[in-house]
Amino acid sequence: MRGRRKISVALCTYDGERFLGEQLESIASQTLPPDELVVRDDGSSDATASIVKEFARESGMRVDFRINSERLGSTRNFERVISECTGDIIFLADQDDIWFEHKVEKLVGYLDTHDEIDLVFSDAELVNEASLPLKKKLWDKTFPERKRHRFSAGSELDQLVWGDVVTGATMAFRSDLRKWLTPTPDIGLLSHDAWIALTAALIGKVGIVHEPLMKYRVHPAQQIGVSTGPIKRRDRRADIPFFEK
């Protein structure tokens, strides 16, 4: 295993007061604490900024918090916050999820013992607005078993090309990837997290951890969320999950 790495968490916020406190507490409670939490707010009109500032005062974590001078949208905001992280390993965080306390330790440990892997991602448990389990997992919708088998058999690029297999909130990647990530292209349905995963597969390798390491919250106000109903298809050529906008 490699020596201690500096770990960054990149968090974008926008009108997230309802769930943000629970997410921040879960990040602060990690068995392997991150070295910094970098937060960029996209002009919230609610108490989001106050929640982050109070957390920064009371948590003891190093928090780099700024409010964008103009609205960027989620893709450009993540592009900015990733570029401003100073860690060797970068985690992406959404404002409305809950991390299991061993998430950082598990994914950093994976990267430390797999030198060939540039990005790793995990499964997640789906929960509702009240944090109650929906008795489903994220991969049931985004990364079904047949795709996992093909991925593990060496066809990872083929699986990543045709849809949002990798959810940004479940990933960790080496900061060396950043020089390949920006600017994030505007390619229709391709989200920033799909772009990061695809880039990692194109220039290196992507790894997977076959267990849920967080609670992924499903609620009507989320910008992009997995449907809890039957999987629909955007393209008959591949099993591409339907994401609600």
Side-chain angles (χ1 to χ4, degrees):
M1 180 176 291
R2 295 180 178 182
R4 179 71 165 88
R5 301 299 196 87
K6 184 174 183 179
I7 301 163
S8 297
V9 176
L11 172 62
C12 291
T13 58
Y14 178 70
D15 286 352
E17 64 178 5
R18 185 177 179 189
F19 305 117
L20 180 58
E22 198 169 9
Q23 168 67 307
L24 291 173
E25 288 303 319
S26 75
I27 294 171
S29 301
Q30 292 296 300
T31 55
L32 179 60
D35 296 282
E36 66 174 4
L37 173 63
V38 183
V39 187
R40 297 293 176 263
D41 184 77
D42 211 20
S44 294
S45 59
D46 64 1
T48 293
S50 297
I51 292 170
V52 176
K53 291 175 182 178
E54 182 179 2
F55 174 80
R57 288 194 300 268
E58 297 182 356
S59 68
M61 286 189 66
R62 180 182 182 276
V63 180
D64 177 356
F65 175 62
R66 300 178 204 171
I67 299 173
N68 297 332
S69 58
E70 59 180 351
R71 183 74 52 79
L72 298 178
S74 61
T75 295
R76 298 301 170 205
N77 201 15
F78 266 111
E79 183 179 284
R80 170 172 287 184
V81 72
I82 290 169
S83 71
E84 294 175 348
C85 288
T86 64
D88 304 298
I89 297 174
I90 299 172
F91 285 75
L92 302 190
D94 290 339
Q95 63 185 6
D96 50 4
D97 299 324
I98 305 168
W99 288 11
F100 295 160
E101 63 179 9
H102 61 291
K103 175 184 174 178
V104 171
E105 184 175 14
K106 184 79 174 185
L107 294 185
V108 170
Y110 184 95
L111 289 172
D112 279 346
T113 55
H114 294 79
D115 288 347
E116 76 284 6
I117 299 296
D118 298 292
L119 179 149
V120 60
F121 68 102
S122 75
D123 201 354
E125 292 181 0
L126 300 184
V127 298
N128 65 13
E129 297 175 75
S131 304
L132 298 176
L134 294 172
K135 299 182 179 179
K136 295 179 182 179
K137 295 179 181 178
L138 182 61
W139 282 4
D140 294 337
K141 297 292 182 178
T142 63
F143 198 30
E145 189 172 0
R146 63 187 178 280
K147 283 179 172 276
R148 281 174 253 159
H149 286 317
R150 294 171 190 162
F151 187 99
S152 298
S155 63
E156 58 199 55
L157 185 57
D158 293 340
Q159 304 310 307
L160 294 175
V161 162
W162 290 112
D164 293 325
V165 171
V166 184
T167 300
T170 69
M171 71 167 63
F173 58 90
R174 303 187 194 280
S175 60
D176 293 346
L177 271 180
R178 286 186 298 188
K179 61 186 176 184
W180 306 100
L181 297 179
T182 56
T184 305
D186 184 8
I187 312 178
L189 294 171
L190 189 67
S191 60
H192 69 278
D193 40 11
W195 167 248
I196 293 170
L198 183 58
T199 301
L202 282 167
I203 68 170
K205 291 186 69 65
V206 175
I208 53 178
V209 170
H210 292 264
E211 66 178 273
L213 293 179
M214 57 174 281
K215 296 178 181 180
Y216 182 91
R217 194 186 304 274
V218 179
H219 62 94
Q222 64 194 142
Q223 182 182 20
I224 299 177
V226 64
S227 169
T228 56
I231 294 176
K232 300 181 181 180
R233 294 190 178 181
R234 294 194 299 230
D235 193 315
R236 290 181 298 173
R237 295 171 297 179
D239 298 327
I240 303 176
F242 172 74
F243 280 79
E244 299 172 335
K245 294 290 183 180

